[in-house]
Amino acid sequence: MLLNKTVFVVDDDEELCQSVCALVSSLGGAARAFASAEAFLERYDESLRGVVVVDLRMPGMSGLELQAELARRNSHLPVIVLTAFARTPTTVRAMKAGAVTIIDKPYRDDELWDAIRTALAHEEAAWNVQKRRQEIHRRLLTLSAEERQVLDQIVEGKLNKVIAKELGLAVRTVEKRRHDVLAKMGAGSIAELVGMALEARPLETSSRLGP
Amino acid sequence: MGGSEPTSRELQEQNEELRAQLARERELTVRLLKLANASSDLHGLMREATALLQGWTGCEAVGIRLREGEDFPYFETRGFPQDFVRLENSLCVSSIDGQRIGDCQGNVVLECMCGNVLCGRFDPSLPFFTPHGSFWTNSTAALLASTTEADRQARTRNRCNSEGYESVALVPLRSDGTTFGLLQLNDRRPGRFTREQIDLLEGLAAGLAEAIGRRQSAQGFRLSLQLLAAIRDAQLQFITETSSRAAFGALLETLVTMTDSEYGFIADVICREDGRLATRNLAISDISWDAASRQLFQQWAASNWEFPTVRNLIGATVTSGRLVISNAVSHDPRSGGTPPAHPPLRSFMGIPMYSRGELVGMAGVANRPGGYTEDLAEFLTPFIVTCAGIIQTVRGQEKEKEAARALRQSEEKYRRIVETANEGIWAIDPGQRTTYVNRQMASMLGYAPEEMLGRLMTDFMFSEDLADHNAQIEKRRQGADSQYERRFRRKDGSECWTHVSATGIRGSDGDFLGSFAMYVNVNRLKADEKRLSLMGQQLQHAVRLATLGELAAGIAHEVNQPLCAIVNYAKACGNASRHPTPDLAKIGEWSDSIAMAAARGGDVVRRLCGFARRTELRPCKIAIQQLVRDAALLVRFEAEARAVTLRTEMPQDDLLVVAQPVQIHQVLVNLLRNAIEAFGHCRPTGRRVVVDVRRLVDRVWISVEDNGPGLSETVSERLFEPFFTTKPEGLGLGLAISRTIVEEHGGQVLATSNHENGASFHFTLPIAKDALQDAFEQDGFRR
């Protein structure tokens, strides 16, 4: 489970950073320490595998701000935020947004390690989802504009006849394009095609709105 | 060539004549300037100047008028008939009986053409005036026939004309805007003057006027010296003479002489029982010259020289409290006339005398030739001040005598009061031996009065109070009364706190004869005060605890960090030890880290407890840097939460201060929190708080500076007031307590604000004595 995965420890308190690294390495895992969220983001790219353990309050970017930034970048990395006192509305909101675990300090002996393990398990699944999404996204980019138009109508559940009428095309033309889309996307059925389109939507929106 | 052209011979003659004339003029100018700058007195100067001008102009009569009071009589004449000089001497308008007539303001009117020139009444468009205000004519008969009185500006007496003078020139002697007089040139022959001659005369007159001004100010200076000498003599007389009458007599003599008056008086102004002001003569010139006036004089003497104020010139001086000058008394509405046997009164000056803003007296002088001026009164000011001072002193002496009499009368009464007084009364001689002590004082200390008599006051005191006691006695020796608190040792050894009100006892010659004081027992008050200061300590403690509560988040962070580190390391050690081939080196390293983290946690807890502790009564020697670091740690989290960068700038070498660490810690935490919280919503980025520590000779200077919004003026004024706060949840005690603490440590607190650069709070602490020594040695101050 720990194969190829790293625990990224982000904390301005060097002692705490080192102690988390020690804990991870005692279990045969790899850990890397960063003194600030900014320092971590500098090294970040989407191929990183593992989990981020970050302190809530730090000078500069806080733990929650780091988590939000990773989400914006469509990172699949789970985030564990360590906090010194009772949860605030901000932390609760962050938890609802998902992909984040909050641990209150001081924690019981296994609490942090359990959280890391759970997070790593989720990371495996998230990584797969991410991989798949990226593949679908890649395939979507091979569609021509006309094919893309037809796909969008299909996802909305419209029949060929309706699509032909709305786009001012012959029904035969619509049928041909649908056939090409299925082939390019590698989907076995219309149902599978719609599923793929929906699955890739997060990446779609972010690539449209992104920088 | 044209017939009207002059021949070359004629031209040559004209040229030579012109050259000769210029040479004569130059010679005249040079001689007059030499004269003006010679060291001769005014009389000598005028004599020689008139002679010179007479010789040069060839005029039969030359005269110079100079200012005297408000008139300009002849100062020097040459070639005028005696009668002409006598009759024309005064330019003032006078009535038949010789009294001067003033205008509606009582000002003297100068008449005739001389008056015009002196007063600057001239019309430059008229041919007989020059633009500089000189008058000249080559025929007075023609002038009178061809002009109206309006042209001639004022009534002319025409005595020059009736005396047969046809050529008349009147040139003002003016310098820097001051008119000193005029130069007059008369000749019975008409046509004596040319315009060029008048121009030259004007130039010469200006030089002459300047010379007169120089001599007059030198004379003024001599007069001032004379006046000062008179004042000095009068004061000496006042000090040496038993009677003040003699001193005032001398002063009056000086006054009359200095003002060229005929007679005068000095009086003090008193408020009579009926509420009216009255004058009482302190000195008066003897003005009796016949039987009737002698009687008047004696009559005044019988009334103790006291006169109620009436409507006359004296009354006008007293009731208005201002300088009164009347140079035409018979026409002055303020004058009330004089008694039948009174000598004639032509002019009068009344000068009020003030001492400490109160009208205490006045001086009056009469009949100065030429009248009185405000300048003269101004000149007399030091003299008048002296008179006022002496009057005040005389009054004080009279009051003292009165008081001494009253004291003797009520001595017995006072003795009874002293014996039965509620307060303790204690008198000592200059050697601090007890000369008197009343029963209350003695019983306050647990003694009988007889036991205390003759003993030193210091026998009843605590040795640590002696220095202050001796300082108080010294103050009293120098004449200062004082009120203070003093602790005495009772017969049973216990303390007795008293409030003292003490005064020195002085003999009639001013010698210090000891000290007399009243004592109130304030033991109960003292106990209250102790309670109060204890409350102060409790208050400080409460505020510290409140601060801790407010800092809870930061504190939790500080404690949790090492705790988490310990858990992680311990877990890691456990994991590693269960490994089939445990990495002992790693386990050892992690165990060390556990110890270090635990130590760090302990450190935080120790600091917190220190801050929360009630108080550490014994001050100790401690490095200010450590206190700053500890305080910075307590607020570090707070700073981070508010995105404030906290920086300290301190010298490497320890600066040792003697302090109660908890208290200074509290001051620092308080100043730091204020600085951090000062930002509010202002300056979202780049917030900075800097603690700057430096040595300033024998003290440490600690500044806490922020780059926030600064302090408004109203806030600055009330900063250190207890319960004044700008924070919604603030107690308003932080700065008040901080100041108390710093001042108790012998330091000072100061706040400065700059709207651009935020606020700075500074405080100082004395450097520990031997630390100072070390520092001096290091800096090479020694040797």
Side-chain angles (χ1 to χ4, degrees), chain A residues 26-40:
Chain A
S26 73
L27 290 163
R32 275 172 74 188
F34 297 88
S36 70
E38 288 87 346
F40 173 68

Side-chain angles (χ1 to χ4, degrees), chain A residues 7-131:
Chain A
V7 179
F8 304 101
V9 188
V10 184
D11 197 328
D12 61 311
D13 186 331
E14 203 199 334
E15 190 173 55
L16 196 74
C17 251
Q18 292 308 327
S19 71
V20 176
C21 292
L23 177 66
V24 175
S25 74
S26 73
L27 290 163
R32 275 172 74 188
F34 297 88
S36 70
E38 288 87 346
F40 173 68
L41 284 174
E42 233 169 73
R43 297 295 185 80
Y44 172 81
D45 72 65
E46 49 186 40
S47 67
L48 291 183
R49 299 289 310 269
V51 58
V52 180
V53 177
V54 62
D55 193 26
L56 176 64
R57 315 284 299 249
M58 288 183 297
M61 192 182 261
S62 76
L64 283 177
E65 281 165 348
L66 174 62
Q67 188 258 327
E69 176 59 24
L70 288 175
R72 202 184 64 78
R73 297 190 188 186
N74 287 307
S75 167
H76 79 288
L77 290 178
V79 178
I80 297 170
V81 178
L82 302 179
T83 164
F85 45 84
R87 296 162 190 229
T88 62
T90 350
T91 58
V92 173
R93 234 187 351 264
M95 284 175 80
K96 281 184 181 160
V100 64
T101 314
I102 309 270
I103 296 181
D104 293 337
K105 285 187 284 188
Y107 40 79
R108 282 177 296 106
D109 54 357
D110 283 331
E111 217 172 325
L112 178 60
W113 182 242
D114 287 350
I116 290 175
R117 252 194 353 223
T118 315
L120 285 176
H122 285 148
E123 193 265 356
E124 196 66 37
W127 176 254
N128 292 332
V129 168
Q130 186 77 350
K131 275 271 152 246

